[in-house]
Amino acid sequence: MKNLLLVLLIASFSLGIATAEEAFENPEARREWLESTYQNKQVDMPANFGIRQQKLSNSLPNAAEGLFKSGSQVNSQTWMHAGPDNVGGRTRAVEYDRTNPNILIAGGVSGGIWRSVDGGQSWVQTTGIHEIPSVTTILQDPRPGNNNIWYCAGGEYDGNSASRCYSAIYTGNGIFKSTDNGLTWSPYGTTQDNQPQKLRMSERAYRLAIDPNKLDEDILYLACVGTILKISENGTKYEVALDIENLKYNNQATDIIITPSGKYYATLSFKSHYTDQTSHSGIFYSEDGDHWENISPDFLQPTHRIVMDYYRSNENLIYFLTSNIVEISTGCDTRSEECNSIFKLERNDDENTWTDLSASLPFFDAKHPYNSLLTFQDYRMDIKICPTDSSIVIIGGANCFISYDGFNSTNNTKWVAGYSPEYDENVMSDTTLTIQQIYVKVLNRMFPTGGWDFHWFTFNPENPLEVISGSDHGIHKMPDISENAPKDWIDLNNGYCTTQFFDCAINKHKAGDDIILGGLQDNGTYGNYFSNTSFQKYWIGDGMETYITENNSILLSSQLNNIFRFDLYNGQAYSGSMINLGAEAEDGVQFNTQFAVNPYTEKEFVTATDNVIAVCTDFTILDAWKNYEYHHIDNLNTSCISYLSESINGVLIGTSNKNLYKVTDLSKDNFTYEVIDLPDFVTGNYVSDVWTDPQDADHFIAIVSNYLTLGMLETYDNGETWQDHGGNLEEFPDGSGAGHSFRCYEKLVYEGDTLHLLGTSDGLFSTRTLEGEKTIWVREGANTIGKAVIEDIEVRELDGRIVIATHGNGLFKTNYATSVAEFNGKNLGFAVSEVFPNPASTSINFVVNTDEVANINVKLMDLNGNEIATISNEELMDTKKINFDVSNLSQGTYFLHISSGSNYVTKKVNIVR
């Protein structure tokens, strides 16, 4: 939601000239911020929260049911995916099908399972939009006759919005299984406890493994937060695999591999998620998965995490990569405040020969710490050995390196992806550079191809020199990893829609304008200035707030006080200004960067940090930061400014401490404000969004994003009284049950209709009328948006355009559909069944039911709304089953558009091969 006198954008806090560190990602700061937005420390989690929340979610009405009756139903919005199709989100797991390497299975950390049948040239999401939102590990059953069976698990511990926060959608939820080579997925046994708000070990997964020699039973091992779990009896029995001396390990990071002959290796980190450290850590070996021996070398340092891989041509050779605890470890390079080790194990007749290779790890220059491995403790790291040449070893952290002598020396290691060693980290504070020069240098700071922040590598089973990476930038392939081959990566993010948006923006002044700008986790800021679904990069880091002016200039921000204005020509920056401010905050800057712009003049600009509000009178000039006036607000340094919203006579400030601050005069000499308290019945504290009435300064809506509280709050009298409109999205009227986490709100008035839109942790909802606890919210885009987390909503009243930003599946857009007219109480219409099968490869089936004679038109549309085929256009009565051959269609996502007169419904269809 962002409109009114100053268009608002979420997230902010900093005022200071940008430093090199501030330009790059800070996973820990991001985690702390996001955790504060969802957690509710005032109320205990109710019993069976997840099960109750799922039941509540499934009981909510859908706006796209397709049954139209007089006066009781409105046309649903036709939601189309708006991209980006060429940018992938964080990917911690991707694998080749060992029987057909053209088939790839990949998972986004908050975007579900995706499948390609053409080597990554196109992708289809094969998990339902209501299931498996988080994927961090994937396993294909290696046993003969079982290669059609796949398993996956999810949930990150560090680095993502998933983290340790109360976010129902981002954590994992046990193990899922596919028996048709990744086309469909189902919960495996009883591994789901539907309690994603609690730190259950199996809901933060690192790796799955299965013993290939046990042919008579399925025994899975899950390396997860806390320990290694053994799952048997078809997923109904959980055991702690590593349980020496009856100790339950609480190690934060773990790993497990099982070799083809049935040898087990497991690693447990020194760092614990319950205490600062634990002595029950190291490297363990077993021959049955039940009895383990600690085989750690004497030189093993205390670790955050250990990852490993065995050589496919000699399973007795294993490499280990560690991220060590700097303040505890000794004898390692800490110039980048990181400490990594690499070593190998050679086993021969139960004898272990260890070789420490850590001195050969790459480090280019102490002045450029971003050019080292940079695992950021345990967040981003992997190691893989070329299946046919043990001298070729690839490792990943922020950067990716390949050694061609097994890390036996420093001379044969190549940097092949990540942050460029040529990048000058002081570029943004160089006053001799123009904004265009800064823009070009910053965007060229990366290796030309290949992504950054690496989590997973896998080799082609038929071409062992071809490697695929999973990173924060999605999926990439290096066709030939050999030493003398070109080190070029091929981008495989071709419709792999897993990006995680924090914010989006559209041009509010131009009807029909399709340009969208958005800030993404991990991937900076992107816009679609040349294509509807292919986006181009405009900035780096964690993308935050965005704004598009009437002439299509852009404002954007990234984490920790990076704010820029770019004037564009043919979509490229040619001029602009840095509008970051000198450090005025008493306690330093904060992670999320929020600003607000006056949409009428598009010159005035407001930003904030800590207890400081800064007002710029004209941000369009080169040295805009010189035009700022600073204003201090008492007591704000005990919380953080979570949202800025411009009202008709000042600024409304949302905080992380439940209060609102209303600034009624922004002038330098007469700066005044008042404190507006949220009502006592609100137990949450994080105000994630504020909507203000452009006609009435005393009328506004505050959104509180924490779980276990009422959080859709409206006042008409400047906060003297409040009414909550959570309605059927709450389990109990007081908000204490398993209700949703509300994220953002927007109101659209178009052609006499009013539409209220509410973004939640469980998808997008709408209503025509706000009626307190009687409010009935209906789900928008049930078959397209699904239950994706909604982080931002943008509307344009000139043409009814709506754009939403999801945190895991990119952007969606629609144009508002007006209400169904009255038809004197008669039934209008028709109902449409779900499409089966879905995904489909040869044909699809669905049923249309009519209550009276009606002309039913059925069309097949692509993602961009282009008509592919007319399936049916005839008068129908009662029930008709429709079958349509899809065998000649390319793999991808399509929509059925079923209409009768002005009434229509859409159904999403995935075509797979």
Side-chain angles (χ1 to χ4, degrees), residues 457-470:
F457 300 108
T458 186
F459 283 91
N460 187 328
E462 293 184 0
N463 178 8
L465 291 177
E466 178 181 287
V467 66
I468 280 182
S469 68

Side-chain angles (χ1 to χ4, degrees), residues 207-219:
R207 195 183 304 273
L208 280 162
I210 191 169
D211 191 331
N213 297 293
K214 293 182 179 179
L215 304 179
D216 56 343
E217 58 180 340
D218 299 333
I219 298 181

Side-chain angles (χ1 to χ4, degrees), residues 233-533:
E233 298 181 7
N234 294 318
T236 62
K237 184 178 181 180
Y238 264 38
E239 300 173 87
V240 176
L242 283 176
D243 194 10
I244 302 171
E245 299 177 356
N246 295 317
L247 294 172
K248 303 291 185 182
Y249 291 129
N250 295 323
N251 308 75
Q252 179 172 303
T254 64
D255 197 9
I256 187 168
I257 56 176
I258 306 175
T259 69
S261 67
K263 297 177 180 178
Y264 294 67
Y265 296 88
T267 67
L268 302 175
S269 66
F270 190 83
K271 195 82 171 179
S272 168
H273 68 271
Y274 288 123
T275 61
D276 288 339
Q277 62 188 57
T278 172
S279 60
H280 311 299
S281 59
I283 301 169
F284 297 82
Y285 172 77
S286 174
E287 295 187 353
D288 59 8
D290 293 317
H291 305 88
W292 295 83
E293 173 190 2
N294 192 329
I295 61 170
S296 303
D298 293 338
F299 54 77
L300 179 66
Q301 299 282 340
T303 63
H304 289 284
R305 184 181 175 192
I306 309 171
V307 294
M308 56 185 164
D309 188 38
Y310 69 91
Y311 181 35
R312 298 308 186 268
S313 299
N314 175 13
E315 64 178 45
N316 290 315
L317 173 63
I318 302 100
Y319 269 75
F320 299 83
L321 177 67
T322 75
S323 174
N324 303 332
I325 301 174
V326 175
E327 60 267 27
I328 300 176
S329 301
T330 59
C332 58
D333 191 344
T334 61
R335 284 172 291 179
S336 62
E337 298 184 356
E338 292 251 342
C339 183
N340 302 110
S341 297
I342 187 170
F343 43 88
K344 67 180 178 181
L345 165 65
E346 297 170 280
R347 288 183 59 83
N348 185 15
D349 296 329
D350 296 332
E351 291 187 5
N352 300 327
T353 301
W354 293 94
T355 305
D356 189 354
L357 306 170
S358 302
S360 299
L361 279 174
F363 194 94
F364 286 108
D365 184 349
K367 295 181 179 180
H368 298 88
Y370 289 105
N371 303 327
S372 62
L373 184 62
L374 271 180
T375 58
F376 200 86
Q377 298 181 0
D378 62 352
Y379 149 58
R380 52 195 178 199
M381 57 189 298
D382 196 21
I383 184 170
K384 285 294 185 298
I385 308 169
C386 176
T388 56
D389 187 347
S390 63
S391 66
I392 302 178
V393 181
I394 185 169
I395 61 173
N399 297 293
C400 179
F401 301 91
I402 302 175
S403 171
Y404 290 98
D405 62 5
F407 285 102
N408 282 292
S409 73
T410 58
N411 301 324
N412 262 336
T413 299
K414 291 186 177 181
W415 168 72
V416 296
Y419 299 99
S420 170
E422 303 299 324
Y423 176 67
D424 181 1
E425 61 187 22
N426 297 312
V427 62
M428 285 191 294
S429 57
D430 188 342
T431 57
T432 67
L433 297 176
T434 67
I435 192 66
Q436 184 182 22
Q437 291 172 323
I438 293 174
Y439 172 81
V440 172
K441 286 178 176 291
V442 167
L443 293 192
N444 289 336
R445 88 205 191 287
M446 311 302 294
F447 190 88
T449 57
W452 53 87
D453 291 358
F454 293 89
H455 307 283
W456 194 281
F457 300 108
T458 186
F459 283 91
N460 187 328
E462 293 184 0
N463 178 8
L465 291 177
E466 178 181 287
V467 66
I468 280 182
S469 68
S471 71
D472 279 4
H473 200 57
I475 303 172
H476 296 79
K477 177 177 72 175
M478 185 178 289
D480 189 347
I481 199 175
S482 59
E483 185 170 8
N484 295 322
K487 296 301 175 285
D488 293 327
W489 295 86
I490 298 174
D491 194 324
L492 300 184
N493 298 301
N494 305 301
Y496 177 64
C497 301
T498 54
T499 45
Q500 301 163 289
F501 278 82
F502 286 135
D503 175 83
C504 65
I506 60 178
N507 190 325
K508 299 293 187 70
H509 303 282
K510 293 182 179 180
D513 191 301
D514 282 330
I515 294 175
I516 305 173
L517 187 70
L520 298 83
Q521 177 177 302
D522 305 318
N523 283 307
T525 300
Y526 274 79
N528 66 336
Y529 276 72
F530 296 111
S531 169
N532 283 335
T533 56

Side-chain angles (χ1 to χ4, degrees), residues 612-634:
V612 175
I613 298 293
V615 181
C616 179
T617 56
D618 188 353
F619 65 79
T620 65
I621 65 173
L622 181 62
D623 294 326
W625 61 272
K626 295 180 180 179
N627 289 324
Y628 275 89
E629 297 175 353
Y630 300 93
H631 307 286
H632 291 254
I633 296 181
D634 297 335

Side-chain angles (χ1 to χ4, degrees), residues 786-842:
K787 295 186 178 182
V789 174
I790 311 301
E791 292 289 0
D792 191 24
I793 307 169
E794 287 289 320
V795 300
R796 184 167 58 221
E797 296 191 342
L798 294 175
D799 57 3
R801 170 54 59 95
I802 308 170
V803 175
I804 65 166
T806 75
H807 198 83
N809 290 125
L811 302 163
F812 290 84
K813 64 183 179 181
T814 191
N815 278 80
Y816 177 68
T818 55
S819 301
V820 174
E822 294 291 336
F823 282 83
N824 301 319
K826 290 183 179 180
N827 243 338
L828 300 182
F830 65 93
V832 183
S833 72
E834 293 302 318
V835 180
F836 180 83
N838 195 5
S841 59
T842 58

